[in-house]
């Protein structure tokens, strides 16, 4: 009995070893760790799956994406550092959290820069978007494509924000980025920078009163469980960006780079459609979950817009007047062509 068991165990071990060697010699799949901050069931998770499937298919199984969501590999900022150091291969996250590495990324944080998603697509996918993306290379990162995070809206637990003055003293979590801190201080809130991965707990424990994110994220991260009021502000359009470690990218063949780039573009097109479809019905969903929702009156929306205009000069100074002007021109062109 004992001998038989041993023999079986040995046979299994040998077979496993054999398969392992065959695999190592014949297939040698490249394993790519791809981290992201939201849940698997979010728009970010769904598009990551599309990307992973495309990479596997296009490479004939030679490249494999190991997708790791819910910030299990770290916050946006931590993952960016892991990519730069070469400890992680890929990620997707907010451009806003990259500003500490590449200051030009702050251009996307300009309040009310885009009026609609079509303007955002035109500018992000055009020469200005590419120019900003290319700036990452000297810092050890390669940007592939922009995905849509979306237009950001305000939630909080203190009161329905119906006028500018209602922002007074609201302790509001913002992304770790000076433009966001300045913007919300300008509006009268007490802006507290925190990584997204700590946000749900901070809201639940009332360490902060509120936050701002697109409808999709308010839904997928279940912020409706810990936030009562939602104010439709659409104060800024937030892009996500798909990143590769430059150290890793430089070690890939041209064909392998093309597999990643093509799959990134497919995932982008899927992601934008999926995100927009979800956002279109999200308000009704959030209402159904019990959130109290209000639209700002046009005159109050204008007051906020005017106040926020005060941060534009500092954004322009930070990103450079040339990039500021090029971006304004690209937006004007997109707006005119509609
Ligand atoms: C996810 C974040 C998130 C962003 C934020 O990692 O931090 O509020 O909107 O999407 O990048």
């Amino acid at each position: 009995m004992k001998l038989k068991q041993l023999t079986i165990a040995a046979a299994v071990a040998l077979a496993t070893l054999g398969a392992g060697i065959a695999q190592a010699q014949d297939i040698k799949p490249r394993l790519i760790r791809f981290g992201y901050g939201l849940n698997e069931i979010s728009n970010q998770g769904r598009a990551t799956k599309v990307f992973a499937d495309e990479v596997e298919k296009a490479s004939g199984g030679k490249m494999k994406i190991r997708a790791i969501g819910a910030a299990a590999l770290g916050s946006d900022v931590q993952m960016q550092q892991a990519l730069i150091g070469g400890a992680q291969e890929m990620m997707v996250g907010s451009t806003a959290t990259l500003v500490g590495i590449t200051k030009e990324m702050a251009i996307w944080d300009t309040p009310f820069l885009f009026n609609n998603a079509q303007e955002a697509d035109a500018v992000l996918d055009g020469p200005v978007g590419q120019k900003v993306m290319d700036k990452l290379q000297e810092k050890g990162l390669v940007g592939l494509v922009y995905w849509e995070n979306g237009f950001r809206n305000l939630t909080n637990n203190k009161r329905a924000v119906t006028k500018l003055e209602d922002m007074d003293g609201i302790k509001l979590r913002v992304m770790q980025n000076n433009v966001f801190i300045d913007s919300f201080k300008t509006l009268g809130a007490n802006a507290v920078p925190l990584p997204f991965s700590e946000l749900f707990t901070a809201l639940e424990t009332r360490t902060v009163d509120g936050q701002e994110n697109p409808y999709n994220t308010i839904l997928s991260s279940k912020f409706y469980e810990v936030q009562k009021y939602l104010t439709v502000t659409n104060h800024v359009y937030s892009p996500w960006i798909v990143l590769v470690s430059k150290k890793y990218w430089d070690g890939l063949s041209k064909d392998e780079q093309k597999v990643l780039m093509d799959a990134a573009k497919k995932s982008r097109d899927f992601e934008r459609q999926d995100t927009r479809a979800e956002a279109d019905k999200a308000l009704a969903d959030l209402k159904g979950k019990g959130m109290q929702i209000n639209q700002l009156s046009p005159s109050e929306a204008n007051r906020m817009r005017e106040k926020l205009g005060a941060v534009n000069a500092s954004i322009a100074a930070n990103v450079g007047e040339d990039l500021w002007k090029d971006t304004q021109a690209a937006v004007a062109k997109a707006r005119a062509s509609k």
Side-chain angles (χ1 to χ4, degrees):
M1 248 335 226
K2 275 223 165 117
L3 190 64
K4 199 173 167 193
Q5 267 172 1
L6 260 178
T7 317
I8 291 170
V12 168
L14 264 178
T16 316
L17 190 68
I21 289 169
Q23 201 181 35
Q25 282 173 348
D26 303 333
I27 307 175
K28 254 196 267 171
R30 281 195 183 268
L31 203 60
I32 300 169
R33 281 159 300 181
F34 185 109
Y36 59 99
L38 270 56
N39 304 317
E40 220 175 300
I41 51 130
S42 66
N43 53 340
Q44 205 176 43
R46 292 191 292 274
T48 298
K49 175 120 191 4
V50 168
F51 176 71
D53 291 347
E54 281 298 329
V55 169
E56 182 140 10
K57 201 171 80 189
S59 68
K62 292 202 180 89
M63 297 168 87
K64 275 196 164 50
I65 300 292
R66 208 170 131 227
I68 304 155
L73 289 180
S75 65
D76 281 11
V77 169
Q78 287 167 329
M79 290 196 287
Q80 290 154 14
Q81 292 305 330
L83 260 64
I84 291 170
Q88 181 182 329
E89 293 75 34
M90 289 190 75
M91 66 171 287
V92 64
S94 282
T95 54
T97 54
L98 273 171
V99 170
I101 292 171
T102 295
K103 63 181 186 338
E104 288 82 359
M105 282 288 162
I107 189 71
W108 311 129
D109 302 327
T110 308
F112 302 105
L113 180 61
F114 303 126
N115 282 342
N116 55 54
Q118 287 64 42
E119 290 178 9
D121 291 356
V123 176
L124 290 165
D125 299 346
V128 173
Q130 190 60 49
K131 197 166 154 191
V132 173
M133 205 181 247
D134 288 347
K135 288 276 175 201
L136 293 167
Q137 296 235 3
E138 63 207 47
K139 299 294 165 67
L141 295 168
V142 178
L144 297 187
V145 289
Y146 295 101
W147 286 359
E148 172 159 301
N149 186 354
F151 284 98
R152 302 179 78 91
N153 290 293
L154 185 75
T155 70
N156 88 97
N157 249 342
K158 274 212 144 158
R159 61 184 87 97
V161 174
T162 58
K163 56 182 189 307
L164 184 57
E165 288 72 18
D166 292 331
M167 295 293 294
D168 266 1
I170 290 184
K171 217 168 164 193
L172 191 81
R173 175 272 176 177
V174 293
M175 291 190 278
Q176 297 142 293
N177 165 311
N178 280 332
V179 180
F180 275 87
I181 298 172
D182 290 350
S183 293
F184 284 97
K185 281 193 177 154
T186 302
L187 292 181
N190 176 3
V192 186
L194 267 186
F196 183 82
S197 46
E198 292 171 25
L199 179 52
F200 187 91
T201 308
L203 293 169
E204 193 177 32
T205 57
R206 308 235 168 180
T207 306
V208 292
D209 302 316
Q211 64 88 44
E212 40 84 55
N213 252 296
Y215 298 144
N216 308 66
T217 300
I218 299 170
L219 260 178
S220 64
S221 294
K222 296 193 184 333
F223 291 158
Y224 54 80
E225 288 182 355
V226 287
Q227 294 281 272
K228 183 154 191 225
Y229 304 104
L230 189 159
T231 307
V232 179
T233 48
N234 291 314
H235 50 274
V236 68
Y237 176 94
S238 228
W240 280 325
I241 185 167
V242 177
L243 299 171
V244 190
S245 155
K246 182 151 171 21
K247 276 194 181 156
Y248 183 72
W249 180 257
D250 289 346
L252 295 175
S253 69
K254 287 275 165 281
D255 285 349
E256 289 169 324
Q257 290 179 351
K258 187 170 166 4
V259 166
L260 292 185
M261 189 47 135
D262 290 350
K265 285 185 177 155
K266 282 193 178 154
S267 71
R268 172 194 68 196
D269 296 344
F270 165 85
E271 195 272 346
R272 285 177 179 165
Q273 257 189 358
D274 178 60
T275 297
R276 287 163 199 174
E278 183 180 52
D280 280 348
K281 55 185 201 62
L283 261 190
D285 289 350
L286 289 166
K287 208 170 179 180
K289 303 279 187 197
M291 288 197 92
Q292 195 175 307
I293 298 167
N294 73 288
Q295 307 270 344
L296 282 177
S297 70
S299 65
E300 282 306 318
N302 259 338
R303 285 181 74 210
M304 274 196 193
R305 199 184 257 259
E306 266 162 29
K307 267 246 147 164
L308 283 171
V311 298
N312 286 354
S314 73
I315 298 174
N318 274 321
V319 302
E321 293 293 338
D322 285 348
L323 177 60
W324 177 267
K325 282 187 194 135
D326 288 352
T327 308
Q328 294 300 324
V331 172
K333 195 176 152 207
R335 206 158 282 173
S337 76
K338 60 172 216 168

